[in-house]
Amino acid sequence: MLLNQPLKQKLLELLSPEQVLTDELDLKFYSYDSSFHAKLNRFFPEAVVFPRSTQEVSAVMRLAYEHNISVTPRGAGTGETCGCVAVQGGIIMDLSPWDTIEEVDVANMQVFVRPGVVHANLNTHLEKYGLFFPPDPGSSRMCTVGGMVSNNSSGLRAVKYGTTEQYILGLEVVLPNGDVIITGGQNSRAIKNVSGMNLTKLFVGAEGTLGVITKIRLRVWPKPKGRGLAMAVFDNLEEAPQAVLDVYRGGILPSGIEILDDSAIKAINMYKPEINLPNAEAILLFEVDGNPAGVEWEGQQIKEIVSRRAIKVEWATEPERIKSLWQGRSVVATAAARIRPDGSRIFAGEDISVPLNKVTECLRRIKKMAKEYGVAVVNYGHIGDGNVHTAPVINLDNQAEVEQVKKLTDAIHRLAIELGGATTGEHGVGAVRACYATAEHGEALKVMHRIKHTLDPTGIMNPGKLLPPEGDDYSA
Amino acid sequence: MLSQLKQLEDVKDQFQKCVRCGLCRSVCPIFKEDRRETTAPRGKVFLTQMLSSGEIEPGSKVSDKLSMCLLCESCSSECPSGIEVHKLVILARSMVSEKCPSLTNQLIFKKIWTKPQLLNRCVGLLRAGQSFGLLNIGYKMGFLPKSSGLLGQLPGRPARYALPETFPAITKQRARVGYFLGCATNYMFPEVAYSTVKVLSYLGCEVVIPKNTNCCGLPQMANGELATGQQLAAHNLEIFSQAEVEALICDCASCSATLSHSRDGDLPVYDAVSYIMQQLQPDFENRRKINKAITYHDPCHLAKAQKITTQPRQLLQMLPGIEYREMPGAGDCCGGAGTFVIKNFDMSMRILDRKIANIKDTGAELVATCCPTCTMQLSYGLSRHGLNVEVAHPLELLAESLGL
């Protein structure tokens, strides 16, 4: 619904003029995130607000609830699914300026932060205490912890450290009607707590559809002192996932295992020839961290195990060499666009997750489908947990290519479901993947709708995201 | 290449390449203060895209948004997709200026700043105004911008009047080089110009200083008068090409960045410090001791636009008696950015305050930097915070150490 003038005035009664944007030009800057969907469409809010306290968030939510206005929470806008874009208008609540690290409780190994804290800044701060927050998204330098909680983000080191949800001890949440709750025990600083229903997990990964997260109690870990990296080169793609399983069976759990297929290797070498990756069907990168002696032992074990299948394995512990070996992986997202001069990399169908024993089949079939649809793609990802990133590269001005890539990404999502996987491993559903919910969740979707309806009876909380409209059946 | 920039239409591919990953949010000095998407560099890319496609019309609101850019290249140098955001901003400002001309801008950047004699008179009037206390009165009465204080006390005589057209090598000649005298160095810091020329001469360079050079063109490019700026840059490069010099040397980071990015001929353009350290390699043995704790501030147009960070530090560390102290955030912009501080004084001061806090942390007695705009900004900030810290160009220190 449209905001009317008196309501804008009401927002200004709750917040200072600096905390409210209603100018048409200002609002345009809030029409996008990183998604292909936002490249193709324009979604404008009617207002953007910048609350800096739980009371202010609560006041805005009460106002929105009273007048039935949609509210979309937003962090840094680095998502790839339109999750923080106001697809049904209303108010965008930009929480990224609210970036206070309230307390580092070293004795209890936890930290209290506001939602706008940037991931990398949090870890820089924690380093002073010899601690770290392990999830490691590629967007570490810009994404917010609030966004990570809402999307249950992970990243390169999820193999060993898991996803964000494993580190959330409690949350302060403003519900759609403006009420404030604290999950995980209202005065608790305990690490273990099974008292009551686990409401914390309900809000983690809910993409802002159930309430606004205003404070986060995070568990933190001692920062490992040692780190090493093995790079393995394969002339047969099938051998790469097998090598990963061999390492697991050898009793070793690396902190991260990344794959680059031949399309990614070619793209990287075209983008930065000096990286000079060997031409191969696949490259695997195994990162190990922990105490230096243990890291060295595990590294040598990995080298020995993987050498049975790889044509070449290099193990490094010197920071400079590690950086150089990582370089290929770190530039691949950018390098993808270089595989054709008029191409742009888009974020669509970019985050499926499949069982470990289906990774090879998945990569082969994505390549085959890409060929059928005539779309160039680059594949890479977190093979250690079956999370495949596909980067389609198209000419955005060519409408035929745009249509073809839509068909391809739909086919990729359906392939993930067919292989017993998920349409998204870490990037979320947002406004672009809800159509697969019936196929993915079946009867459980009805329960999700009931939970949503209970907490958000008027449907004002980030509408059009995560769940398809009730009663819609996309399974066909 | 700044010389090849013409139309927003020519850079359409850059809009498409922007995946809006937001990495630029983590490095933009203005965004760090403002925290709104409306000042994020990717927002500027989107703004220029909308301008280019006609989705929005040029006007004062668009102009205000575009003015919130230091052109410091922090975002351009970090962008994973290789988008040169600063160039898009320059083009967009030029487009807005063309559609909605600003008489003040045209008067300053097209009429006065392109004619050295006229500029001389204006600076002379300013100097006279300072002497009679009129500027102070004007500032207090609100006729002059808050940034007036940055001028400090204008020196009595511009460097141009004291420098000959050719300055011979005073040791065995090794090279014949051109010296480009930038506006800020000429009017505000003549001592820097003398130091640069004397050091080059002492290290075996015959230095050619043509009289008919003009402003490098950056102020014009940065303020919507792109074509004028490009003409000035081309004019200067042509003069030095005709002077048959082996290299063109600038002691101002902004001038060297502008001229090196505008050139399309063979004449190499060097920052003075990097030329001296790389090509002339001075001998620091048995030189005068400076005996100071010194830190260094990286000008954006040197560190980000030209990737020059090591040579100034090498020079400072090799000076006898120096205790070099690296400051945290040495590469962070100081917020001066030429005319930015005039138009956006409050934002500029917020950025400057962070920098001054970092300088204070080092406990240094002197900050060295290779850009006159940074020098003005840092001097103003240090004085604003009541800190007794000098600001100098590394070549002033080298000249002192060499006894020149």
Side-chain angles (χ1 to χ4, degrees):
Chain A
M1 65 158 287
L2 288 177
L3 282 177
N4 52 35
Q5 200 56 36
L7 209 41
K8 287 180 187 174
Q9 291 308 318
K10 281 194 162 58
L11 277 177
L12 288 168
E13 285 168 20
L14 303 175
L15 304 165
S16 68
E18 296 74 45
Q19 291 176 285
V20 181
L21 294 179
T22 52
D23 180 82
E24 194 184 343
L25 180 59
D26 288 335
L27 299 177
K28 287 182 188 291
F29 290 84
Y30 284 86
S31 64
Y32 57 75
D33 63 354
S34 294
S35 65
F36 180 49
H37 197 51
K39 278 257 183 186
L40 296 181
N41 302 283
R42 289 272 197 275
F43 302 109
F44 299 119
E46 277 93 20
V48 178
V49 295
F50 305 89
R52 292 299 296 264
S53 71
T54 307
Q55 292 74 14
E56 286 178 347
V57 172
S58 174
V60 172
M61 287 315 306
R62 280 187 205 288
L63 183 74
Y65 187 70
E66 188 186 334
H67 294 272
N68 198 29
I69 302 164
S70 306
V71 177
T72 303
R74 181 179 171 105
T78 59
E80 282 137 15
T81 66
C82 268
C84 65
V85 175
V87 296
Q88 294 184 20
I91 300 168
I92 278 184
M93 194 177 270
D94 184 349
L95 296 150
S96 67
W98 194 11
D99 63 346
T100 320
I101 298 171
E102 301 238 315
E103 185 189 351
V104 181
D105 184 350
V106 179
N108 290 305
M109 298 292 280
Q110 54 198 266
V111 58
F112 294 79
V113 300
R114 293 297 181 177
V117 171
V118 169
H119 176 264
N121 296 348
L122 174 63
N123 272 335
T124 302
H125 187 78
L126 290 171
E127 208 165 350
K128 297 172 194 166
Y129 305 92
L131 301 169
F132 84 130
F133 168 49
D136 182 36
S139 53
S140 167
R141 286 173 64 186
M142 53 280 197
C143 73
T144 62
V145 176
M148 289 180 71
V149 175
S150 289
N151 282 289
N152 192 12
S153 307
S154 45
L156 298 170
R157 299 188 175 97
V159 176
K160 176 176 175 180
Y161 292 107
T163 61
T164 299
E165 70 178 334
Q166 274 121 305
Y167 300 87
I168 314 296
L169 298 170
L171 296 170
E172 179 186 78
V173 183
V174 177
L175 298 175
N177 65 357
D179 289 352
V180 181
I181 61 165
I182 293 169
T183 70
Q186 59 179 346
N187 296 309
S188 177
R189 292 207 173 204
I191 287 175
K192 291 173 79 174
N193 183 346
V194 294
S195 164
M197 288 184 189
N198 194 337
L199 292 183
T200 303
K201 291 237 173 176
L202 189 62
F203 291 99
V204 175
E207 300 187 19
T209 59
L210 301 178
V212 184
I213 294 164
T214 49
K215 195 172 179 179
I216 302 146
R217 181 161 71 97
L218 281 174
R219 184 176 187 178
V220 290
W221 283 13
K223 190 172 164 58
K225 293 199 168 6
R227 191 168 161 236
L229 189 75
M231 183 170 94
V233 182
F234 297 85
D235 58 3
N236 180 355
L237 180 66
E238 269 78 2
E239 297 287 359
Q242 289 303 321
V244 172
L245 294 174
D246 291 349
V247 168
Y248 287 157
R249 287 193 197 106
I252 293 166
L253 183 63
S255 49
I257 312 174
E258 293 294 303
I259 185 166
L260 302 166
D261 81 351
D262 57 346
S263 65
I265 295 166
K266 279 185 195 132
I268 291 160
N269 285 337
M270 281 172 73
Y271 174 45
K272 287 203 174 202
E274 65 273 20
I275 294 178
N276 196 22
L277 289 176
N279 283 326
E281 275 228 333
I283 286 176
L284 287 185
L285 295 157
F286 295 84
E287 190 197 66
V288 182
D289 70 1
N291 71 67
V295 164
E296 184 56 39
W297 183 85
E298 288 192 341
Q300 292 305 333
Q301 288 291 304
I302 288 173
K303 191 172 176 180
E304 190 184 316
I305 293 166
V306 175
S307 292
R308 294 171 207 151
R309 295 184 184 274
I311 53 174
K312 183 186 164 202
V313 184
E314 180 185 349
W315 165 250
T317 50
E318 309 77 35
E320 275 310 303
R321 188 59 191 152
I322 290 175
K323 193 177 164 186
S324 147
L325 291 176
W326 260 132
Q327 214 187 348
R329 173 61 183 87
S330 62
V331 302
V332 67
T334 307
R338 314 290 167 125
I339 58 173
R340 51 181 289 192
D342 61 343
S344 296
R345 187 254 162 99
I346 59 158
F347 286 95
E350 81 297 339
D351 185 43
I352 61 167
S353 181
V354 296
L356 295 181
N357 65 350
K358 300 284 187 185
V359 170
T360 308
E361 183 186 347
C362 175
L363 289 170
R364 292 255 184 248
R365 286 179 62 183
I366 288 173
K367 282 184 190 183
K368 190 165 170 280
M369 290 189 307
K371 210 167 181 175
E372 283 166 12
Y373 288 106
V375 177
V377 298
V378 170
N379 292 303
Y380 58 99
H382 316 307
I383 190 174
D385 45 28
N387 196 179
V388 175
H389 292 321
T390 300
V393 180
I394 63 164
N395 180 342
L396 284 162
D397 291 330
N398 184 327
Q399 197 49 44
E401 282 190 43
V402 168
E403 291 311 312
Q404 286 300 94
V405 86
K406 284 180 185 172
K407 290 175 189 164
L408 171 65
T409 53
D410 179 56
I412 289 171
H413 286 130
R414 293 185 187 281
L415 171 68
I417 298 167
E418 182 199 326
L419 294 175
T423 55
T424 176
E426 58 186 4
H427 294 174
V429 174
V432 300
R433 289 191 259 265
C435 53
Y436 306 104
T438 306
E440 286 197 79
H441 303 294
E443 284 298 298
L445 185 58
K446 291 177 183 168
V447 178
M448 292 183 203
H449 274 299
R450 273 184 237 143
I451 292 169
K452 166 77 172 168
H453 190 73
T454 302
L455 290 173
D456 183 21
T458 55
I460 60 167
M461 207 67 246
N462 206 5
K465 316 291 170 62
L466 191 65
L467 303 176
E470 211 162 351
D472 279 20
D473 182 6
Y474 289 91
S475 52
Chain B
M1 295 286 288
L2 288 167
S3 58
Q4 292 170 345
L5 286 180
K6 286 184 188 69
Q7 299 291 331
L8 274 177
E9 191 56 34
D10 299 344
V11 289
K12 194 179 170 194
D13 63 315
Q14 302 238 329
F15 307 142
Q16 308 288 38
K17 292 263 183 237
C18 177
V19 294
R20 300 168 183 161
C21 67
L23 182 62
C24 51
R25 286 172 54 114
S26 69
V27 294
C28 174
I30 293 175
F31 181 79
K32 201 178 279 186
E33 299 302 328
D34 184 69
R35 311 300 306 277
R36 299 167 190 224
E37 192 64 31
T38 49
T39 53
R42 69 176 173 182
K44 303 247 175 14
V45 176
F46 185 54
L47 184 73
T48 51
Q49 182 180 356
M50 290 191 291
L51 260 179
S52 171
S53 67
E55 189 177 331
I56 55 172
E57 287 298 317
S60 61
K61 282 182 181 174
V62 172
S63 185
D64 287 348
K65 292 272 176 292
L66 289 169
S67 83
M68 273 289 157
C69 175
L70 297 145
L71 301 179
C72 67
E73 303 191 34
S74 297
C75 52
S76 303
S77 58
E78 289 275 348
C79 177
S81 302
I83 296 163
E84 294 176 295
V85 185
H86 64 289
K87 290 187 183 176
L88 296 182
V89 171
I90 286 173
L91 278 171
R93 285 178 183 175
S94 181
M95 181 182 173
V96 172
S97 176
E98 206 173 295
K99 297 271 168 66
C100 319
S102 150
L103 292 176
T104 312
N105 259 17
Q106 292 199 335
L107 176 69
I108 295 171
F109 298 106
K110 276 181 97 164
K111 303 285 183 212
I112 298 174
W113 214 319
T114 53
K115 298 178 180 64
Q117 285 178 323
L118 202 50
L119 189 60
N120 257 338
R121 287 202 190 104
C122 289
V123 175
L125 283 172
L126 270 177
R127 198 181 296 113
Q130 271 191 338
S131 307
F132 294 111
L134 296 176
L135 288 197
N136 215 10
I137 295 166
Y139 170 65
K140 282 178 179 163
M141 291 177 72
F143 296 131
L144 290 171
K146 290 179 188 173
S147 55
S148 310
L150 265 89
L151 280 175
Q153 186 56 50
L154 284 162
R157 200 166 68 132
R160 171 69 67 200
Y161 294 115
L163 290 170
E165 286 203 62
T166 307
F167 202 99
I170 57 172
T171 55
K172 187 178 176 223
Q173 187 167 328
R174 299 158 68 186
R176 176 180 155 91
V177 300
Y179 169 63
F180 180 77
L181 179 60
C183 308
T185 307
N186 179 32
Y187 293 114
M188 305 291 303
F189 305 106
E191 288 302 326
V192 173
Y194 307 148
S195 298
T196 303
V197 171
K198 283 190 280 189
V199 167
L200 286 168
S201 158
Y202 177 83
L203 296 173
C205 292
E206 181 187 23
V207 187
V208 179
I209 313 159
K211 286 285 182 203
N212 51 346
T213 55
N214 210 318
C215 171
C216 70
L218 180 62
Q220 291 73 13
M221 294 179 196
N223 285 280
E225 301 298 336
L226 177 60
T228 305
Q230 288 171 328
Q231 285 162 10
L232 292 175
H235 163 83
N236 291 318
L237 289 163
E238 179 57 27
I239 284 172
F240 283 100
S241 295
Q242 288 173 2
E244 294 179 347
V245 292
E246 297 162 40
L248 172 51
I249 312 295
C250 312
D251 49 23
C252 164
S254 298
C255 295
S256 56
T258 306
L259 294 173
S260 63
H261 294 163
S262 299
R263 72 193 188 91
D264 53 8
D266 296 331
L267 181 67
V269 178
Y270 286 97
D271 160 69
V273 171
S274 67
Y275 180 79
I276 285 163
M277 294 303 288
Q278 283 177 301
Q279 312 285 329
L280 305 178
Q281 298 168 345
D283 173 13
F284 289 86
E285 285 296 308
N286 303 320
R287 301 295 182 190
R288 282 190 200 172
K289 288 193 172 183
I290 303 285
N291 293 330
K292 277 193 176 114
I294 290 184
T295 188
Y296 176 70
H297 159 73
D298 286 288
C300 297
H301 287 159
L302 204 59
K304 289 153 197 152
Q306 300 178 80
K307 311 292 178 229
I308 297 169
T309 54
T310 53
Q311 296 92 334
R313 286 174 172 79
Q314 281 171 349
L315 189 156
L316 294 168
Q317 286 165 356
M318 289 168 90
L319 287 171
I322 290 285
E323 185 199 332
Y324 180 75
R325 299 177 185 176
E326 185 70 20
M327 76 165 89
D332 294 351
C333 182
C334 65
T339 50
F340 178 88
V341 63
I342 301 169
K343 294 183 173 181
N344 303 288
F345 182 77
D346 293 339
M347 174 58 75
S348 176
M349 290 303 110
R350 284 162 69 181
I351 297 167
L352 176 61
D353 286 348
R354 283 181 193 261
K355 175 60 70 173
I356 299 300
N358 287 341
I359 293 171
K360 194 178 174 182
D361 276 353
T362 66
E365 302 157 83
L366 186 144
V367 190
T369 192
C370 305
C371 170
T373 311
C374 295
T375 303
M376 285 162 70
Q377 179 85 344
L378 295 174
S379 303
Y380 183 75
L382 290 162
S383 140
R384 211 165 97 107
H385 286 261
L387 295 171
N388 186 23
V389 177
E390 295 173 75
V391 188
H393 194 290
L395 293 183
E396 289 182 279
L397 302 171
L398 179 57
E400 185 185 337
S401 186
L402 295 173
L404 301 173

